[in-house]
Amino acid sequence: TRTTFVSAGQGGAFDQGVITWNVGEVPPGASGLLDLTVRVDSPLSNGTAIKNVAEAESLLSLPISSPTVTTLVSSLPDLKLTKAASRTVAAAGDQIVYTLSYQNTGTTLARDVVITDVLPPQTTYIISDKGGQHASGVVSWVFSQLQPGQSGTVSVTVEVLPVIPNGTVLHNTSTIVSDETSPAVAPLVNTLVNSEPDLTLGKIAAAATVPAGSIIDYTLSYANTGSDAATGVVVSDVVPDNTQFVSASDGGVFDDASNLVSWTVGRVPALSGSTRTMRVLVDPQTPGGTTLPNIASMTSVELPSQIAQYAVVVAFAAMVPTAVPTLPALAVTLLIFLVIILGVVMRKHLSKH
């Protein structure tokens, strides 16, 4: 029992679990070999004993039996695990679904089966199916048993971090283990991340209209809204015509030849930004209604130049002081004489009363 007949040599005939050989006449002192092949049934519990006994008989002798031959079955589960990712290349913020396929290819039951998936540290756990539990970057599935030949799949979804260096490789590892087996490791699955900076530049002035001869303060706001750092960043601002450079914040350098103020910013991390300011003086002789266009730009190693523009209008020309008109000397003398005469008349009038 617990076996299946495969073949028998020397003309052996199989019938209902018994193989029979008609050897015929055996001379005194003669001997020979008979062989048969069976296949052990599966599944069978580990340590199962398979026993085999042979009998021989002839017309001139009573039946005799061979010693019992016992074979112990070595039977174990054999757990296999493979994995696939929904993306081989991803961008920051993308979601990736990892699908794990498992199977017991062994010959006996596997008990207390645990599948674990170690998530890449550059990702955030979103959801897992079939009761998967997440803790500290590891998702686990627990099955009470897996029958021989039983298979299935589980999956987990993660999201790539919004800020991540370009070229990052997401490594994902997983294992399957049971009470009877050592951990089996699935082949490593890798996903390449494409990430890049995204620079923006804006500009405002303290006022939209100013009088000639006044100060204008420009504020430049720059930001990296991308998922990777921008490097070699330089912010520049052209001093408008009809104005003179006064000062610049944060170490801005004014070049008189190009009429340009520049700030060497360097590295701007993802999701960060700052401001720079420039002060100019409007020429006092600038006519009213003059427009003062101002153009700023920003460059980096990774991206083309960004441009920001702003225009200020000189609403009116500066007030030029004028001389106060003076009266001629003769007019002044006459005025004094009239005041004296008026005073005399008033005194006479008062004395009569």
Side-chain angles (χ1 to χ4, degrees), residues 15 23 33 36 46 54 57 65 138 150 157 224 227 251 268 281 284 291 319 343:
D15 182 32
V23 178
L33 294 175
L36 68 96
N46 189 47
E57 62 179 61
S65 298
V138 178
Q150 185 178 351
T157 301
N224 178 5
S227 54
V268 180
L281 174 66
T291 300
M319 298 297 293

Side-chain angles (χ1 to χ4, degrees), residues 30-327:
S31 63
L33 294 175
L34 302 172
D35 62 78
L36 68 96
T37 302
V38 296
R39 178 180 292 108
V40 179
D41 291 343
S42 178
L44 284 179
S45 299
N46 189 47
T48 298
I50 297 177
K51 299 181 179 182
N52 180 256
V53 176
E55 293 182 351
E57 62 179 61
S58 69
L59 295 176
L60 302 177
S61 65
L62 295 173
I64 58 173
S65 298
S66 70
T68 300
V69 176
T70 301
T71 302
L72 295 179
V73 174
S74 176
S75 182
L76 291 172
D78 186 9
L79 301 179
K80 304 293 184 184
L81 185 66
T82 59
K83 169 182 283 189
S86 61
R87 297 176 184 268
T88 57
V89 179
D94 281 349
Q95 291 193 355
I96 304 172
V97 180
Y98 294 111
T99 301
L100 293 76
S101 300
Y102 60 88
Q103 185 177 14
N104 179 6
T105 61
T107 55
T108 191
L109 187 74
R111 297 178 176 84
D112 296 326
V113 178
V114 179
I115 298 173
T116 57
D117 192 344
V118 180
L119 305 180
Q122 304 89 345
T123 63
T124 301
Y125 170 80
I126 300 299
I127 194 171
S128 54
D129 67 357
K130 300 177 182 177
Q133 298 296 311
H134 173 255
S136 302
V138 178
V139 180
S140 300
W141 294 265
V142 178
F143 303 97
S144 60
Q145 62 182 32
L146 282 182
Q147 296 288 344
Q150 185 178 351
S151 62
T153 62
V154 293
S155 66
V156 56
T157 301
V158 300
E159 184 172 286
V160 183
L161 295 179
V163 176
I164 186 169
N166 186 46
T168 299
V169 178
L170 307 178
H171 303 290
N172 183 250
T173 58
S174 54
T175 59
I176 185 170
V177 67
S178 71
D179 287 348
E180 301 83 5
T181 63
S182 299
V185 181
L188 188 67
V189 172
N190 295 326
T191 299
L192 176 67
V193 176
N194 286 336
S195 186
E196 62 182 11
D198 186 7
L199 295 176
T200 61
L201 179 64
K203 158 175 276 194
I204 60 172
T209 59
V210 296
S214 62
I215 290 291
I216 303 176
D217 287 321
Y218 292 104
T219 300
L220 291 77
S221 301
Y222 63 88
N224 178 5
T225 61
S227 54
D228 195 7
T231 60
V233 176
V234 176
V235 177
S236 302
D237 198 350
V238 178
V239 176
D241 293 339
N242 298 304
T243 67
Q244 300 174 29
F245 171 75
V246 176
S247 63
S249 70
D250 302 278
V253 177
F254 174 65
D255 179 58
D256 188 62
S258 62
N259 211 32
L260 190 71
V261 179
S262 299
W263 294 266
T264 301
V265 178
R267 185 176 186 272
V268 180
L271 304 183
S272 70
S274 188
T275 60
R276 297 291 186 267
T277 60
M278 178 182 71
R279 172 170 287 187
V280 299
L281 174 66
V282 182
D283 294 339
Q285 303 304 319
T286 304
T290 301
T291 300
L292 307 177
N294 178 250
I295 300 175
S297 63
M298 178 171 58
T299 60
S300 71
V301 173
E302 298 83 4
L303 297 172
S305 178
Q306 303 290 309
I307 300 295
Q309 300 187 49
Y310 197 89
V312 174
V313 176
V314 179
F316 50 87
M319 298 297 293
V320 178
T322 58
V324 177
T326 58
L327 293 173

